[in-house]
């Protein structure tokens, strides 16, 4: 009977971590839009989530488990006019990675190429 209680205790302790799911790409897209609007003057015209169809890149960093979501966003190309105001001229595509750290429940944006992500990770499929 004691080993059964110990087993149940282990399951009870691990269950909350197992139930904590990472955001889907649809949820991550909404987070990306919100963070973008808070930080950058160029409005997002179009978002393509998971453009390479590889999923989410999961790796361990010194801060703990980290997930990278890939996006391609289209934003207006902003040009300074003679009066120093910003005007839009065409669209520009940008590769953006959103980093999610479940340990601190934090998200941030990075403008890097895929080959510059931290090594030792694995691609996982999520909706």
């Amino acid at each position: 009977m004691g080993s059964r209680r110990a087993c149940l205790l282990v399951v009870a302790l691990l269950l909350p971590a197992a139930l904590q799911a990472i955001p889907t790409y649809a949820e991550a897209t909404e987070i990306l839009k919100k963070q973008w609007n808070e930080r950058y003057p160029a409005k997002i015209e179009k978002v393509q989530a998971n453009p390479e169809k590889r999923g989410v890149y999961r790796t361990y960093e010194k801060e703990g488990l980290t997930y990278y979501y890939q996006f391609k966003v289209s934003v207006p190309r902003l040009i300074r006019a003679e009066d120093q105001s910003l005007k839009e001229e065409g669209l520009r595509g940008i590769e953006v990675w959103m980093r999610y750290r479940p340990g601190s429940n934090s998200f941030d944006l990075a403008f890097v190429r895929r080959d510059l992500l931290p090594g030792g990770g694995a691609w996982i499929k999520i909706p």
Side-chain angles (χ1 to χ4, degrees), residues 109-121:
L109 305 179
F111 301 93
V112 298
R113 297 186 325 251
R114 181 171 43 88
D115 61 330
L116 296 177
L117 293 175

Side-chain angles (χ1 to χ4, degrees), residues 8-114:
L8 289 174
L9 180 61
V10 169
V11 169
L13 291 174
L14 294 178
L15 192 58
L19 291 177
Q20 179 184 5
I22 65 171
T24 64
Y25 257 106
E27 294 165 332
T29 300
E30 293 307 311
I31 294 166
L32 168 82
K33 289 177 182 177
K34 181 178 182 241
Q35 288 203 351
W36 185 280
N37 290 335
E38 291 172 357
R39 297 177 183 179
Y40 305 108
K43 186 181 106 192
I44 293 178
E45 297 291 329
K46 180 181 175 187
V47 176
Q48 182 183 7
N50 198 13
E52 295 179 5
K53 306 296 184 221
R54 294 184 75 151
V56 174
Y57 185 68
R58 178 184 63 201
T59 189
Y60 289 93
E61 297 177 343
K62 65 181 178 183
E63 294 83 6
L65 187 60
T66 305
Y67 297 91
Y68 287 87
Y69 294 78
Q70 184 184 28
F71 296 93
K72 184 173 181 183
V73 298
S74 296
V75 297
R77 187 178 304 268
L78 298 177
I79 308 292
R80 282 228 185 259
E82 288 181 23
D83 66 356
Q84 297 302 313
S85 65
L86 292 175
K87 68 176 186 174
E88 296 178 4
E89 187 175 288
L91 289 178
R92 162 186 187 170
I94 303 172
E95 181 177 8
V96 178
W97 291 85
M98 186 174 71
R99 180 171 50 191
Y100 170 55
R101 292 187 173 130
S104 60
N105 196 31
S106 65
F107 297 89
D108 57 42
L109 305 179
F111 301 93
V112 298
R113 297 186 325 251
R114 181 171 43 88

